[in-house]
Each structure stands twice: as structure tokens, then as C-alpha cells.
Amino acid sequence: MSVDAAALQHAIERLRAASSICVLSGAGMSAESGIATFRDALSGLWARFDPAQLASPEGFRADPSLVWRWYAERRAAVRAAQPNAGHHALAAFAKRHPGRLTLVSQNVDDLHQRAGNVDTIRLHGDMLEDQWLDACPRAMSCDTAWAAPTVPPRCEACGNLVRPGVVWFGEALPFVALQAAEQAARSCQAMLVVGTSGVVWPAAGLAAQARRAGAFVIIVNPDASDIDGDAQLHLPDTAARLLPLLLDSL
Ligand code: APR
């Protein structure tokens, strides 16, 4: 796949002129680090499952061990992965231009953070974090680290289960993170949308919010997405190839 040189130059000029840039990343951002994109995540033995079913409170309650094992495999893949050139280009830009870039991610891996974007706004949580499935019936503030090492870990006192610290289908996004993401989308002059299919809301609505507020919206994705209509420019190539070309000279 190659991107038209004029389109690339147009995107670079738009980013150069933007005093505030909002970046929205999705699973495609981590694909070149070897992390399966969300809708490709179900390969191999997981191929017979629906990701939306596994990544839901109902799916977890129906088969806690199955879902916990799916996340354990994904956690191991993330820990074995390294940030790619796209992650590093974003972190280097943020370091060169303090306060100019706001990074909003749908991803539950820690690759942006390990590359240096430690203040990434995490819309869907952190897969490497644990949390309790339910409120403690004894109103204790037990630490999930004390849970019995069963699959999934369980509180020995009340039976509460440990679950991954991610936002599941049917759950609300963290209010503060969503507010910050919407504020960044509405106030930026340019938005870079990298590696998302645009099928999951409210994250998928951020590009339209930026466009309505007057931002120049650029999509980096080798394929079409549900939000292509919100962008003025679609660069059909990958994050690790395009982000250094777009940002390193700025
Ligand atoms: N560079 C850029 N984009 C890529 C690359 C790459 N190397 N490889 C794949 N893509 C694109 C695909 O074309 C696709 O459009 O990344 C997108 C990945 O889409 P999804 O797998 O749907 O992931 P995402 O859009 O992040 O899903 C959103 O859905 O289920 C929830 O919580 C989950 O955060 C996830 C959300």
C-alpha cells in the first residue's frame, strides 16, 4: 500500500499549522507490534467465540474461567510486545511539543504508555489492571492482589471474583476520560484517527465532533472504516509506516 505524496504533504502541512492536535487510536495502532486487532483477536482456538460476548459482564459471569483465560492470553501477548514506530513517533512529537498533542486511546494495552505517552486518555480501561467484579458485600476495601490464585482469582472471604480493568460491552465509559476526550476533540485544529474501525461508540463519535468544531480530520488506516465520512483526508497505510512520516519533521 502506498500513499499519494501530495496527500501526505497536505496532511503534514495541516498538522504543522495545528497548535492543538487530538489523536484517537484504536487496535490498528498496536497491530505492527504483533497485537491482534480487536476484531481479529479471535483467531485460533478463540475463533469460535464472539468478542462482544467474551468482553461483557454477561460473558464473564456465564464462564469466568473462559473469559479470564482469554484475557490472560491477551495480557501475555501485550507484555511480550514492544511499542512500534508509530507509538514512538507520537511520544517523540509530544516530547518536542509539550501540551500540543492530546492522545485518546481505545486500546487496553500499555504500548502508548511504554513509548512515553504516559498521559494517554484511556477510554476503555487497562487490560493489565485487575478490579473486583462486584462491590464487596462486607464493604471491605480488600486488594485484588490478596485474592486466592484460582481461575479467575477469587476473594476467600466473600467469593467476589477478580476481572480485568477494562470497559466491557454494555458498560459505561469512565466519565472523566470521556469528558476529556470530547473536550480535546472539540478544541483541536487537527485530529489524527489511527487504526480504528469506528464501530464502537461513543469513541467513534469523536471524529465527527472534531470535524463539526472545525478541525481537519485525517484517518490513518489501510482499510475503510465506518467513520471515513468524518474525515477530510484518508491516508490508506499503516500506523508504523505513516506516523513517523507525518510527525518526525514537525
Ligand atoms: N495501522 C493502522 N490501522 C490498522 C492496522 C495498522 N497496521 N492494522 C489494522 N488496522 C485497522 C483495521 O483496518 C481496522 O479498521 O485497525 C482497525 C481495527 O479495528 P478493530 O479491530 O475494530 O479495533 P477498534 O476500532 O480499536 O475497536 C474499537 O471495540 O470492542 C471494542 O474495546 C474494543 O477498543 C475496542 C473497540
Side-chain angles (χ1 to χ4, degrees):
M1 184 84 64
S2 67
V3 169
D4 170 72
L8 183 63
Q9 193 53 40
H10 184 192
I12 291 169
E13 291 315 317
R14 287 287 185 164
L15 292 169
R16 189 188 312 280
S19 56
S20 171
I21 298 171
C22 179
V23 177
L24 172 66
S25 70
M29 183 76 230
S30 300
E32 287 152 292
S33 295
I35 304 292
T37 62
F38 192 79
R39 276 152 195 81
D40 296 339
L42 291 167
S43 55
L45 67 97
W46 301 106
R48 67 183 187 280
F49 295 102
D50 168 7
Q53 182 52 35
L54 290 181
S56 71
E58 301 75 21
F60 183 75
R61 291 182 192 279
D63 194 336
S65 165
L66 175 79
V67 176
W68 183 262
R69 283 185 284 114
W70 180 49
Y71 276 92
E73 273 198 26
R74 293 174 65 199
R75 283 174 164 182
V78 166
R79 290 193 175 103
Q82 293 302 322
N84 61 53
H87 295 103
H88 290 305
L90 286 169
F93 178 90
K95 191 171 182 182
R96 290 195 305 274
H97 302 279
R100 187 171 165 196
L101 182 143
T102 302
L103 177 53
V104 179
S105 188
Q106 300 173 87
N107 297 342
V108 291
D109 63 49
D110 63 346
L111 297 181
H112 280 308
Q113 291 78 4
R114 280 160 56 192
N117 286 110
V118 295
D119 53 357
T120 299
I121 297 171
R122 307 182 81 135
L123 292 179
H124 295 162
D126 179 354
M127 181 167 58
L128 302 181
E129 286 289 315
D130 286 338
Q131 66 186 57
W132 291 114
L133 175 62
D134 296 308
C136 175
R138 300 163 55 227
M140 302 285 285
S141 55
C142 298
D143 188 319
T144 54
W146 304 338
T150 49
V151 178
R154 176 188 299 269
C155 174
E156 290 180 307
C158 71
N160 206 351
L161 296 179
V162 176
R163 53 162 285 182
V166 296
V167 178
W168 275 335
F169 283 97
E171 295 184 322
L173 270 64
F175 177 77
V176 171
L178 183 56
Q179 288 283 83
E182 291 181 335
Q183 172 58 31
R186 287 194 298 264
S187 58
C188 67
Q189 283 79 47
M191 175 179 268
L192 261 181
V193 181
V194 185
T196 183
S197 59
V199 301
V200 171
W201 291 74
L206 292 171
Q209 286 190 46
R211 179 77 184 263
R212 278 197 300 272
F216 190 84
V217 180
I218 302 160
I219 286 181
V220 171
N221 191 330
D223 300 322
S225 76
D226 279 18
I227 52 176
D228 285 354
D230 298 330
Q232 284 96 330
L233 194 54
H234 175 200
L235 303 177
D237 206 338
T238 71
R241 280 201 291 264
L242 275 180
L243 290 178
L245 293 176
L246 287 168
L247 299 172
D248 285 0
S249 65
L250 301 183

